Amino acid sequence: MQFRQQEKGKYLLVHASGRLDASWADHFSSTFKEYIRQGQHHILLEASEVSYLSSAGIRALVQVVKSIMAVQGSFQIIRASSFVHQTLQMTGFESWLKADFPDDLPAEDTEAQIPDESPFELYQLNGSTAMQLSVPATWVPWKAFNSNNLSSIRFGHQDFALGIGAPHQSDQDASMHMGEFLVVGGNVIYQPPREGDKPDFLLPEKAYLPEMHCLQALHCTGDMPHLLRFSPKGNKTYFGLGELAEKVLTETGSALAAFVIFAEIDGLVGSSIIQSPGLLKEDRIIPFPDIKEWLSFCGERVFPRQQALIFGMASKGLDGKKSPLLAGSTMHKNLFLHAHAAVFPYLPIESGVIKLKSVTEKLFKGPPPMALLHLLEDSRPSTGLGESTLIRGACWYTAINTNQEDTIWA
Amino acid sequence: MLNVNNLYKTFAPGTVNEVKALIDVSLHIEEGCFTAVIGTNGSGKSTLLNAIAGSFKPDHGRINLFEHNITNWPEYKRASLIGRVFQNPFAGTAAGMTISENIALAMRRGKRRPLTAAITSRIRDEIAERVKTLKMGLEDRLDNPIGTLSGGQRQALTLLMASWLRPQLLLLDEHTAALDPKTAAKVSEITKEIITREKLTAMMVTHSMQQAVDLSDRIIMMHRGRIVEDLRDEMKARVRISDLMQTFERVQKLDLFDQSVAEILEQQFV
Ligand SMILES: Nc1ncnc2c1ncn2[C@@H]1O[C@H](COP(=O)(O)OP(=O)(O)OP(=O)(O)O)[C@@H](O)[C@H]1O
Ligand SMILES: [Mg+2]
């Protein structure tokens, strides 16, 4: 089969030719899934030159239509050849067939027409204007563990957090299990501190609220009243985490902001705790190579084409002070960041306004998270991996109020 | 059962070719455990097995097999306790001798008796019976020179011979790697059968993750002279090939974690 595609307004018009049979079905569905990945959610299949359609071909079509419907898109087959037309009618899929192009289809290709079109869309959602931040647990590497410094937190639907801790388990010593976690709308994703272990997750359900024993926690409660959608346009093919964080700070005009990003990954850079800090008997500076037993490093830009759920806090800084909880960016001026990313298999989402809650609900119904990373910037000359970058997605954000400035800024 | 303590072996020390093949390797293997040893090329798998078998003396460390401290035993003396099968199907047998002669030799391993003692009919029956368990029809060819057999048949016989006297430890170094896939699968199956039936303690180096997952009770992964992963009991039970692949990747990435990465983490890990 051969495909030729034209962008026309919100539509992608695909001219297909050849036989859609078992030999071409996989190629067909992967081509169309790639269109969806690129943000084309309204597809017109011009099928006048599709000479044959087998049951395997119909299965491929069903798959494609399913993926499109999952992102609230649309799919129509235009000017089908008589064979295709007949086959679809007999198999009960005539609803896909349209005699002609939709009325709102622009005559011209729209592809290269709007060179200055912004890669960003901003939306205002409901909710209070700012969240309150608390820092109930303040461990920093590599302080001695003291169970008195643990703080137990129950996370509900309005909670967002990142930090180091362990799920509440009555029968086990939490100190052995201190690992990194993030919380988005009460959904907790936690990475046990053992290399190779899969992240675990705890979801608030009815009366059950996930509880974590936290050694370190940046915790805020409230709404994410703003939404930023980003997608590649023109030469702009990816978005750096720092760039998105800066945008969030600019848009809120706040000194401190929190954000959730749900996006297709270009490449993540980060590390994870692989040995519980609960084992630290005294304050330590852990030199190389011993540090390799405590932290893993990704080594390359990881998880391209997968999906990231990120929670982060960003700040412009305060009077040139350093922060024990926010890392000073080496690639962006006046930016301080702390972000954790959970990695999931790729999951496309609809364009435009979208509720964070509906995204997380869909996400946790699917396959489990594959990894959790503490994101870092690697600006080593020549060998550096750079910062984490994303391709397209959504960023919900809010300004942050806090009365714990003394804790955040040393 | 087998206790390896703080084993070190460096080849060509002090030269440009210096290789630290074993670095502080410690390992305890329980009686009856079938351990698979996997790892990248040159990670020290064969060196570990050779050290246990006594092919060379380690630079440092101690090896105990049952109550014996065998660290300073010569290779031939260890052979009375340890059976071995190598990758090359032609290594463990004498091509010119018949199947039964080869086996009769193996039966006398470690014993001080003339090499050419007669094969009594009682011994012959015993040989035929055991060879039959291979289900290769070789019991009808006991008087054929072993050199006339295929690689797979020879490897199956070598395995049978190496385990004949129920060695305290059976060492297999990629013993199916030189065989075609189908024969390799057959020999794997025979390996598992013999080890289970005779309740042998065994270590098997393999490049096949499938073999490691399917056959063994425990999986050890080596990298650059160290044991970097040790999966046993319930961890072994749940492990899949994809998990092992991930561990490989992770371990190889560890090589990229150098001083400069440590500096980044020191700055940025909060
Ligand atoms: N006799 C020797 N002299 C010098 N170097 C050696 C010797 N034997 C092994 N080495 C080196 O020691 C390292 C470990 O070798 P070893 O044979 O144990 O690896 P392996 O894990 O068995 O690899 P493979 O999967 O390729 O068989 C390698 O770098 C190898 O080149
Ligand atoms: Mg080897």
Side-chain angles (χ1 to χ4, degrees):
Chain A
M1 290 197 89
Q2 284 195 333
F3 304 104
R4 204 154 39 82
Q5 63 275 0
Q6 294 167 279
E7 270 184 51
K8 284 179 180 281
K10 70 169 184 174
Y11 294 104
L12 182 73
L13 175 59
V14 185
H15 297 265
S17 60
R19 297 164 58 86
L20 182 47
D21 58 11
S23 337
W24 288 101
D26 284 348
H27 178 60
F28 179 88
S29 36
S30 57
T31 304
F32 278 71
K33 290 210 168 128
E34 195 58 37
Y35 294 147
I36 300 168
R37 196 183 265 269
Q38 286 162 13
Q40 304 290 353
H41 295 175
H42 299 276
I43 297 183
L44 303 172
L45 174 61
E46 208 276 2
S48 59
E49 287 172 44
V50 178
S51 56
Y52 177 73
L53 176 63
S54 76
S55 301
I58 293 179
R59 265 205 303 280
L61 278 168
V62 170
Q63 274 183 28
V64 167
V65 173
K66 246 190 176 160
S67 319
I68 288 178
M69 291 312 150
V71 293
Q72 321 293 324
S74 66
F75 178 82
Q76 284 162 13
I77 299 177
I78 313 291
R79 295 183 179 161
S81 66
S82 59
F83 186 89
V84 169
H85 196 101
Q86 227 172 21
T87 310
L88 288 176
Q89 245 172 3
M90 287 188 303
T91 47
F93 291 108
E94 65 265 45
S95 63
W96 296 341
L97 294 164
K98 281 273 146 46
D100 218 329
F101 297 109
D103 298 336
D104 57 346
L105 187 78
E108 297 294 314
D109 286 11
T110 48
E111 214 163 352
Q113 272 195 351
I114 321 169
D116 301 332
E117 201 187 350
S118 166
F120 298 108
E121 293 164 27
L122 290 163
Y123 301 97
Q124 190 62 42
L125 310 175
N126 298 328
S128 54
T129 51
M131 278 197 206
Q132 191 68 30
L133 170 72
S134 66
V135 189
T138 59
W139 180 85
V140 292
W142 299 92
K143 293 276 182 209
F145 175 78
N146 180 345
S147 60
N148 295 330
N149 297 341
L150 286 181
S151 168
S152 277
I153 311 176
R154 270 179 205 278
F155 295 107
H157 290 286
Q158 287 206 305
D159 285 312
F160 297 81
L162 59 78
I164 299 166
H168 173 78
Q169 306 151 289
S170 52
D171 56 336
Q172 261 178 341
D173 181 5
S175 69
M176 302 289 293
H177 303 281
M178 291 290 147
E180 282 152 310
F181 68 88
L182 70 150
V183 180
V184 173
N187 302 288
V188 178
I189 307 170
Y190 153 76
Q191 175 66 56
R194 196 189 116 89
E195 242 186 317
D197 268 16
K198 304 259 181 312
D200 213 341
F201 56 95
L202 307 157
L203 312 178
E205 204 114 36
K206 304 216 171 83
Y208 168 75
L209 298 182
E211 183 175 6
M212 295 288 287
H213 294 301
C214 302
L215 187 58
Q216 181 194 73
L218 294 168
H219 173 205
C220 28
T221 306
D223 307 306
M224 292 276 178
H226 311 284
L227 170 62
L228 168 72
R229 296 300 307 254
F230 53 95
S231 57
K233 286 273 151 54
N235 296 333
K236 179 100 187 128
T237 53
Y238 62 84
F239 299 82
L241 182 71
E243 175 189 356
L244 292 172
E246 278 177 335
K247 179 111 183 136
V248 161
L249 286 167
T250 311
E251 293 297 331
T252 55
S254 170
L256 189 61
F259 57 88
V260 172
I261 295 174
F262 186 70
E264 182 184 351
I265 297 166
D266 176 52
L268 296 184
V269 180
S271 70
S272 307
I273 290 180
I274 54 173
Q275 186 166 193
S276 175
L279 300 172
L280 290 161
K281 302 259 186 307
E282 58 201 48
D283 291 2
R284 285 186 62 186
I285 295 166
I286 305 181
F288 181 83
D290 297 357
I291 191 71
K292 290 169 85 162
E293 285 163 26
W294 295 86
L295 287 178
S296 71
F297 178 66
C298 61
E300 59 189 352
R301 301 174 56 76
V302 287
F303 301 113
R305 294 174 70 82
Q306 308 290 1
Q307 197 78 18
L309 178 67
I310 301 172
F311 177 66
M313 310 250 351
S315 173
K316 293 173 182 159
L318 187 74
D319 309 333
K321 286 185 185 160
K322 280 193 159 189
S323 168
L325 295 166
L326 304 174
S329 169
T330 52
M331 305 175 73
H332 301 267
K333 248 189 160 176
N334 299 327
L335 180 66
F336 292 78
L337 256 184
H338 194 161
H340 289 185
V343 180
F344 290 81
Y346 175 65
L347 179 73
I349 52 167
E350 57 205 271
S351 39
V353 179
I354 180 165
K355 281 208 189 94
L356 176 55
K357 193 160 191 295
S358 69
V359 168
T360 52
E361 268 169 14
K362 189 166 159 183
L363 183 65
F364 286 105
K365 276 195 195 113
M370 306 148 70
L372 194 153
L373 286 177
H374 176 125
L375 301 180
L376 300 168
E377 289 175 353
D378 175 2
S379 49
R380 284 176 293 170
S382 75
T383 55
L385 303 174
E387 65 175 339
S388 298
T389 49
L390 304 155
I391 296 176
R392 84 181 62 240
C395 173
W396 297 262
Y397 59 94
T398 179
I400 290 285
N401 292 332
T402 184
N403 47 22
Q404 287 189 270
E405 240 124 34
D406 295 348
T407 319
I408 299 169
W409 303 104
Chain B
M1 179 37 232
L2 175 70
N3 259 312
V4 172
N5 288 306
N6 311 101
L7 216 56
Y8 286 81
K9 179 70 194 179
T10 302
F11 290 108
T15 72
V16 286
N17 296 321
E18 177 178 295
V19 180
K20 292 193 163 106
L22 295 178
I23 306 167
D24 197 17
V25 171
S26 294
L27 178 66
H28 171 78
I29 292 183
E30 273 151 28
E31 193 171 352
C33 179
F34 182 8
T35 303
V37 183
I38 61 176
T40 41
N41 285 324
S43 56
K45 305 180 295 294
S46 298
T47 306
L48 175 61
L49 261 62
N50 291 338
I52 294 168
S55 307
F56 55 78
K57 274 199 60 179
D59 302 334
H60 181 270
R62 197 167 44 111
I63 304 172
N64 279 60
L65 189 57
F66 269 99
E67 70 274 21
H68 312 291
N69 178 345
I70 62 170
T71 318
N72 293 312
W73 287 22
E75 190 167 17
Y76 74 85
K77 192 174 169 197
R78 300 191 200 190
S80 61
L81 304 176
I82 299 176
R84 298 184 80 178
V85 183
F86 299 91
Q87 184 171 359
N88 183 350
F90 309 109
T93 49
M97 294 167 69
T98 66
I99 295 181
S100 47
E101 284 165 347
N102 266 290
I103 293 177
L105 266 183
M107 290 166 71
R108 283 184 221 111
R109 193 171 36 133
K111 292 183 185 156
R112 294 184 190 282
R113 277 211 237 145
L115 285 181
T116 52
I119 300 175
T120 65
S121 66
R122 191 184 54 78
I123 290 177
R124 209 186 145 77
D125 288 349
E126 190 189 344
I127 289 176
E129 194 187 318
R130 288 236 216 160
V131 170
K132 207 171 170 184
T133 62
L134 299 179
K135 298 186 198 101
M136 287 179 150
L138 297 175
E139 59 279 11
D140 301 329
R141 298 171 63 181
L142 293 182
D143 295 324
N144 293 11
I146 221 166
T148 63
L149 304 183
S150 74
Q153 291 167 331
R154 275 180 84 161
Q155 207 60 331
L157 281 171
T158 312
L159 195 59
L160 194 67
M161 287 158 52
S163 56
W164 200 280
L165 298 173
R166 284 211 68 238
Q168 308 219 335
L169 180 65
L170 178 64
L171 300 178
L172 311 168
D173 193 346
E174 298 193 43
H175 69 302
T176 65
L179 308 175
D180 67 77
K182 219 172 143 191
T183 315
K186 172 85 182 155
V187 173
S188 294
E189 200 180 299
I190 293 171
T191 306
K192 178 77 179 172
E193 254 171 47
I194 292 179
I195 288 173
T196 312
R197 187 177 62 224
E198 305 288 330
K199 300 193 178 62
L200 298 178
T201 311
M203 290 176 77
M204 172 182 72
V205 173
T206 179
H207 273 279
S208 157
M209 312 249 188
Q210 186 80 51
Q211 244 183 18
V213 169
D214 291 351
L215 302 183
S216 71
D217 304 317
R218 176 173 173 185
I219 299 177
I220 282 168
M221 185 182 290
M222 295 196 66
H223 184 64
R224 295 191 180 239
R226 297 176 198 269
I227 293 176
V228 292
E229 183 74 291
D230 184 353
L231 298 163
R232 51 207 295 188
D233 308 323
E234 75 268 17
M235 298 298 267
K236 161 61 181 61
R238 82 167 188 200
V239 80
R240 289 167 309 170
I241 292 173
S242 58
D243 299 325
L244 293 178
M245 298 295 287
Q246 273 181 16
T247 309
F248 261 123
E249 262 178 43
R250 209 182 66 216
V251 161
Q252 279 168 330
K253 263 185 206 161
L254 212 54
D255 295 342
L256 301 170
F257 193 147
D258 58 14
Q259 181 74 49
S260 67
V261 170
E263 279 161 22
I264 295 175
L265 291 169
E266 200 183 310
Q267 266 183 24
Q268 292 209 18
F269 188 79
V270 289

